[in-house]
Amino acid sequence: MRYLKHLVSALAFSLAAAAPAWAGERLNQILDTKVLRVGTPGDYRPFAIKTDAGYQGHDIDTIEAMAKELGVKIEYVPTTWPNLLKDLQANRFDVAVGGITRNVPRLRYAAMLPGYAPFGKVALVRTEDKAKFKTVQDLNQPGVRVIKNPGGTNEAFVLQNLKAAQVSTHEKNAEIPALIASGKGDVMITETYEALHYSKADPRLTAAFIDAPLTPTNWLGFMLPAEDADYLRVMNFTWDLLDKRGALKAIDDKWLR
């Protein structure tokens, strides 16, 4: 009898040791604390913008809907474009949002949710100057003043394609359109939706290259750390669930139409 007890005990211990955990460490942390930490630069309309009242935009509505489905609250963590991936890797937040381009350099170190909001690189210029800019060569001239924000794919495009232009850097992306409108610069390289937003809000500005973007079509995506497969599985499930219910389309219609 004593032998059988030892045998049953050993067998139970072996089975428990061999059984997989119910969820990964990050997923457990989020569901146990009921807090999802969301990093965003908060400077990219219409996806995520920081206001006196908090954050608002397409990505904010989307991540709030996902958090509600998960049964958790959101804690917003400010970050910057140059530090976005570094902060994610340093575990400062669980997901990054705010108009983040899906690309191989990011996917090398992080995971991304399904793509949304197809776009291309375009130029925001003064309406009075729109006839001057028909090709990328028109932008890449010594007399053209290009203002870029640091750390993202817009800066990468400028540095690669507009080497002959007068390029300057402004830290706050959301302030650049006003600088262009007031004549302190000539061109801001951005993406389809941001350019359309500012051109609709200010008649002094025009979104150039909308019908023929400067780059092939790409998609935006939420960026997540890749170490917890269970967390990624649940986040992808939540995205898919909201998509099938029509919630994501409703958010698109609100912010991107």
Side-chain angles (χ1 to χ4, degrees):
M1 182 64 70
R2 182 178 300 173
Y3 171 78
L4 286 176
K5 287 182 179 179
H6 282 299
L7 183 62
V8 170
S9 178
L11 181 60
F13 177 81
S14 298
L15 290 173
W22 285 108
E25 182 178 351
R26 184 177 298 274
L27 180 60
N28 278 335
Q29 176 74 14
I30 292 167
L31 297 182
D32 289 346
T33 63
K34 298 192 179 303
V35 174
L36 179 69
R37 299 170 301 159
V38 177
T40 181
D43 62 356
Y44 186 13
R45 292 182 172 91
F47 297 101
I49 190 72
K50 178 73 166 64
T51 69
D52 292 339
Y55 290 91
Q56 63 179 14
H58 174 279
D59 289 12
I60 303 304
D61 283 3
T62 303
I63 199 63
E64 293 277 1
M66 293 181 71
K68 182 177 180 181
E69 193 64 37
L70 291 167
V72 301
K73 294 183 178 180
I74 287 180
E75 175 186 310
Y76 286 104
V77 181
T79 185
T80 64
W81 292 106
N83 292 323
L84 187 66
L85 185 56
K86 294 177 185 177
D87 286 346
L88 183 74
Q89 292 177 308
N91 195 29
R92 292 196 60 225
F93 40 79
D94 305 302
V95 57
V97 308
I100 303 168
T101 301
R102 288 162 53 94
N103 57 33
V104 171
R106 284 174 173 150
L107 285 166
R108 181 181 179 184
Y109 300 104
M112 298 195 82
L113 292 185
Y116 65 95
F119 70 90
K121 295 295 183 191
V122 299
L124 192 66
V125 303
R126 282 187 303 281
T127 301
E128 63 189 60
D129 294 335
K130 64 180 181 179
K132 298 180 182 179
F133 303 116
K134 299 297 183 182
T135 67
V136 68
Q137 288 76 22
D138 296 335
L139 302 171
N140 191 32
Q141 297 296 324
V144 176
R145 298 167 298 165
V146 178
I147 305 178
K148 65 176 178 64
N149 68 304
T153 58
N154 293 332
E155 179 182 54
F157 179 90
V158 170
L159 295 179
Q160 182 176 353
N161 297 282
L162 305 182
K163 296 177 181 179
Q166 299 178 35
V167 177
S168 62
T169 301
H170 190 79
E171 294 290 333
K172 296 183 178 180
N173 182 72
E175 295 178 354
I176 298 178
L179 297 177
I180 303 299
S182 64
K184 294 181 174 64
D186 303 310
V187 172
M188 174 190 185
I189 295 298
T190 181
E191 281 126 14
T192 304
Y193 295 101
E194 184 176 42
L196 287 172
H197 172 86
Y198 283 109
S199 63
K200 290 176 181 177
D202 189 337
R204 295 176 298 170
L205 296 171
T206 289
F209 304 99
I210 289 293
D211 295 329
L214 301 166
T215 59
T217 301
N218 204 341
W219 284 261
L220 303 177
F222 291 4
M223 189 165 66
L224 308 88
E227 88 286 346
D228 186 340
D230 293 311
Y231 172 58
L232 298 180
R233 174 174 52 81
V234 169
M235 292 295 278
N236 273 284
F237 165 79
T238 306
W239 180 281
D240 183 63
L241 190 65
L242 294 175
D243 186 26
K244 285 181 166 60
R245 288 175 179 169
L248 298 185
K249 182 180 183 303
I251 295 171
D252 287 352
D253 291 343
K254 176 183 175 180
W255 290 102
L256 305 181
R257 300 292 182 255

